[in-house]
Each structure stands twice: as C-alpha cells, then as structure tokens.
Amino acid sequence: MKKWGIGTAILIFSFSVLPLLAQKASSEKAKPSHAAASSSANKNSQEQESEQTAATTDPAYVIGAEDVLNVSVWKEPEITRTVPVRPDGKISLPLLNDVQAAGLTPMQLSSVITTRLKKYLADPQVTVIVTQINSQRYYIMGEVSRAGAYPLLPNMTILQALSGAGGFTPFAKLTDIYVLRMVDGRQVKLPFNYKDVIKGEHADENVVLKPGDTIIVP
C-alpha cells in the first residue's frame, strides 16, 4: 500500500476542498439577505403607492361621494393612504378619524387635514389627489350597446361620451340624439345630430356634459 507524505496530503486537500469553500462564499455573497430583499420590496411598494395618477388636475374640481382620494403626508407613511369618500361625504384617516371631504376641492381638503394634523405633527405637508372620479356621472339610454351610468370626466363632450357606449344598434336614429338636462329645476332638451357633428358641422351641438345629463339615442 502506497503511503502519502504530509505535504502531499495537504496539497490534495487544497485542490479538493478549497474550491468548494470559494464557491460557497461566492454564492453567499451574491445572494442578498432576507432582510435586504424585504427592505427593497417594501421600498418599491411604497414608491408604487405614492405614484398615483390624478383623475383630474382641475383646481376647481369639487370632491363628491364615492370619489377615491390619495392623501399623502410627507415623511408619514403610516398616515399616507388611498381612501374612498363614503356616502356621507367623509373619509377616515389615522389620528384624525372622520374628515369631511365632499364639497371641498383637493386644495381645500389638504388645508383642512394640515390644520388638524398640526395637533400631532410639527410641520405636516399634505397633498390630496383625486385618483378616481365616481361622484359625477352621466347616463346613456336607448339604442347603444352598453346603456347605463358612466363617470363624468372633466370637459367631456357628447361625442366623447358616446364613444364609450360600445357603438350604436342598427336601429339607432343618429340624427335625432338629444341630451336631457336639468336647468333651474326644469328639464331641457339639447339636440345632437351625430352624423353632422362627425362631419365637422354644427359643432355647437357637441356640448360639454354636466353631472346628471342623460343622453338619449332613439
């Protein structure tokens, strides 16, 4: 039986074991720790939550029931959140409980929240963004594919509203469309000739819709 010297044994150990140890060390270095991965995921989640798309940038927009708001308080992630406006017109926030939102513009609501938070925070900086407009609606009835209630977007015209109804049925009278609107407590009828408007004629008929308007396609 062949005997190995101490030097030879050490050399064999070096060639067989050390590469394995180096490979393990490299693997552990490349693999992020659970805490680091979790921290990165939380950071990305917070960034995504803070990047809300505004449904309207109109400074005069008045918040209504069922709208959805993003209330952002700088450096206060526990308070920052997206909240719906309840049917009673209020929203719920940490520290403040119920806050009246309906009837105010986003800027006005921001001011109200800021004032109330000063009892708890040194210098609160609040931003309110309307992310969904659900309080203002218009209605489409008659010979369209999808009749029903729709959210009213800022400066939406009759033509734009009809484009979201899925098209007309074969029986639709496109020259006799009209809008029913309440004006000073009485209902008025606004004519709309679809064929003329899409040809660029009678553009004055393509009026901007108001909340509660009903488009009738006979």
Side-chain angles (χ1 to χ4, degrees):
M1 183 176 178
K2 188 175 182 179
K3 295 183 180 180
W4 300 96
I6 295 177
T8 304
I10 293 175
L11 185 61
I12 293 174
F13 175 82
S14 298
F15 278 106
S16 61
V17 177
L18 292 182
L20 296 177
L21 295 176
Q23 182 179 0
K24 181 179 180 182
S26 176
S27 175
E28 290 178 349
K29 182 178 180 180
K31 183 179 179 180
S33 66
H34 177 74
S38 178
S39 175
S40 177
N42 289 337
K43 182 178 180 181
N44 292 337
S45 177
Q46 290 176 0
E47 289 177 351
Q48 291 174 358
E49 289 178 359
S50 64
E51 295 176 357
Q52 296 286 345
T53 302
T56 176
T57 56
D58 182 3
Y61 176 78
V62 177
I63 298 168
E66 299 184 12
D67 285 347
V68 179
L69 312 177
N70 176 253
V71 180
S72 177
V73 184
W74 189 57
K75 290 189 176 181
E76 297 294 338
E78 295 81 5
I79 304 176
T80 296
R81 60 193 54 207
T82 298
V83 293
V85 181
R86 303 197 307 257
D88 62 0
K90 298 180 180 180
I91 60 175
S92 296
L93 293 173
L95 299 179
L96 305 183
N97 296 321
D98 290 346
V99 179
Q100 181 66 35
L104 303 177
T105 66
M107 186 67 71
Q108 290 171 336
L109 179 57
S110 174
S111 179
V112 169
I113 295 173
T114 298
T115 299
R116 291 184 58 178
L117 280 176
K118 286 181 178 179
K119 297 179 181 179
Y120 309 97
L121 304 175
D123 184 25
Q125 298 182 38
V126 181
T127 303
V128 176
I129 298 174
V130 181
T131 58
Q132 292 183 33
I133 297 176
N134 298 323
S135 61
Q136 299 192 28
R137 296 179 180 273
Y138 66 92
Y139 305 86
I140 300 181
M141 300 176 62
E143 299 296 330
V144 292
S145 297
R146 295 194 298 268
Y150 292 85
L152 179 62
L153 302 179
N155 301 315
M156 175 177 278
T157 64
I158 299 174
L159 190 61
Q160 291 171 334
L162 287 170
S163 69
F168 304 104
T169 70
F171 308 103
K173 298 178 180 179
L174 303 183
T175 60
D176 296 328
I177 297 173
Y178 58 93
V179 175
L180 295 178
R181 174 178 294 176
M182 295 299 296
V183 178
D184 297 329
R186 64 186 183 89
Q187 192 176 71
V188 298
K189 183 177 179 179
L190 307 176
F192 179 80
N193 187 321
Y194 178 83
K195 289 185 176 181
D196 284 349
V197 171
I198 62 173
K199 289 188 297 183
E201 302 174 3
H202 303 294
D204 57 306
E205 292 185 357
N206 190 28
V207 299
V208 173
L209 293 174
K210 294 184 177 181
D213 279 356
T214 300
I215 303 173
I216 305 295
V217 182

